[in-house]
Amino acid sequence: MESQRNDLQRAVRSLEATTTISKAIGGETDLRRLLDLVVKRARALVEARTLLILLVEGDDLVLAAGAGELALPGSELRIPIDGSVPGDVLASRHSERLSDVRSRLHLSLGELPAGAETALLVPLVFRGQSSGLLVAFDRTAGGPMFSSEDERLLSAFAASAATAVATAKTVESQRLRDSLRAAEEERKRWARELHDETLQGLGALRVTLAGIRRMGGSEAQLDQAIAHLGDEIDRLQALIAELRPAALDEIGLGPALDTLAGRMRGSFEVDLALDLD
């Protein structure tokens, strides 16, 4: 009876934890912030010393985010899917607990978090497809080995996390499409302005000046042509100002590029290295 009550209480706590976490990550659509939130929540959920998210990129699993006490592998960590334990978990779509990561993951992970002994690998499955893995290392409470309850709990969380990651990727792709579409519409607008206004205005000015030269026009006609030329110069200057951001002149190239990169980091992973005199 006592055992059943404990099991029920543990199940209730697990349900409350996964529900709370699912709500927290469900409202986040920025992929980078979402991944950071997922690793921190997942690590706390199973009390892991370190937790990593590996996402599928081509034929590899690539480190996307990490959290924990242990030193993490480098940001360029790439694990071949074929012939690796993480790849097998990804393909099977079933989680796996490892009691000796040194012997099981040495070839696939290469540089493990320092001191790692055990691991729990849980696939991120959305609509029948595995998009990546949650990899937890060493339980901090009750010994390094993860329990079947930890596996069940992290698997339940991974289902919500996989849906949130897929949604964030879709939003990110849509933002990119919207950005490209907006840029194309702006390019078309500049082309229309140049063709419909500036080029036609310059063409009319050429005809006017040719007529003045041929017929020996008056000074008033020359003044009118000069005024017309001034209008076209103003239009070109306005277009040039739009093509060249004001920030270049106001704060300089370096800060302007840094500001642009900062805006783009919401949709892309941006690394900016400047070496300007």
Side-chain angles (χ1 to χ4, degrees):
M1 192 70 175
E2 182 70 21
S3 175
Q4 290 179 339
R5 184 163 54 248
N6 290 337
D7 289 343
L8 180 59
Q9 290 176 345
R10 185 163 51 249
V12 170
R13 287 196 301 269
S14 298
L15 178 61
E16 290 175 346
T18 52
T19 300
T20 301
I21 293 171
S22 298
K23 288 180 179 179
I25 67 174
E28 181 59 72
T29 58
D30 180 88
L31 183 58
R32 180 178 290 276
R33 289 197 298 266
L34 173 65
L35 293 175
D36 185 60
L37 182 60
V38 166
V39 292
K40 290 177 180 178
R41 297 280 187 163
R43 178 187 171 232
L45 188 63
V46 294
E47 299 180 276
R49 293 185 66 198
T50 298
L51 196 136
L52 309 179
I53 293 182
L54 306 174
L55 295 182
V56 174
E57 188 176 297
D59 296 327
D60 298 327
L61 282 162
V62 179
L63 177 62
E69 301 174 5
L70 303 177
L72 297 175
S75 59
E76 296 301 316
L77 174 65
R78 303 180 74 89
I79 304 170
I81 293 175
D82 291 338
S84 69
V85 173
D88 293 342
V89 172
L90 189 78
S92 69
R93 300 195 293 277
H94 293 294
S95 57
E96 184 172 350
R97 286 178 285 156
L98 305 178
S99 59
D100 185 1
V101 296
R102 294 291 169 184
S103 61
R104 297 293 306 279
L105 296 182
H106 177 70
L107 294 177
S108 55
L109 279 177
E111 183 186 359
L112 290 169
E117 298 179 33
T118 69
L120 170 59
L121 286 72
V122 178
L124 295 168
V125 181
F126 177 70
R127 293 182 178 175
Q129 297 295 320
S130 300
S131 60
L133 297 176
L134 297 178
V135 184
F137 291 97
D138 295 343
R139 201 176 199 281
T140 57
M145 189 67 187
F146 293 97
S147 66
S148 58
E149 177 66 17
D150 295 324
E151 183 177 352
R152 188 197 66 76
L153 195 58
L154 193 58
S155 296
F157 170 72
S160 298
T163 301
V165 169
T167 301
K169 284 185 173 181
T170 300
V171 171
E172 186 176 75
S173 298
Q174 185 60 49
R175 284 173 179 161
L176 176 58
R177 288 193 293 271
D178 291 344
S179 178
L180 293 174
R181 187 181 301 112
E184 178 62 15
E185 290 300 320
E186 191 69 2
R187 186 196 65 79
K188 290 179 180 178
R189 183 180 70 81
W190 289 333
R192 284 194 302 270
E193 288 192 17
L194 284 170
H195 180 271
D196 297 344
E197 297 182 15
T198 305
L199 288 180
Q200 290 188 14
L202 290 174
L205 178 60
R206 183 177 64 180
V207 171
T208 300
L209 290 173
I212 292 173
R213 184 180 64 179
R214 185 174 61 252
M215 301 176 61
S218 65
E219 185 174 337
Q221 288 175 313
L222 285 174
D223 290 341
Q224 184 180 6
I226 292 173
H228 190 174
L229 181 59
D231 291 340
E232 298 308 320
I233 290 174
D234 289 341
R235 288 195 183 94
L236 282 174
Q237 287 178 334
L239 279 175
I240 291 170
E242 290 189 47
L243 289 169
R244 177 183 174 85
L248 289 177
D249 299 313
E250 294 172 357
I251 60 176
L253 177 59
L257 286 174
D258 189 55
T259 300
L260 177 61
R263 291 202 305 268
M264 291 296 99
R265 286 191 179 99
S267 302
F268 307 99
E269 181 175 344
V270 179
D271 292 320
L272 181 64
L274 295 176
D275 184 13
L276 304 174
D277 294 332

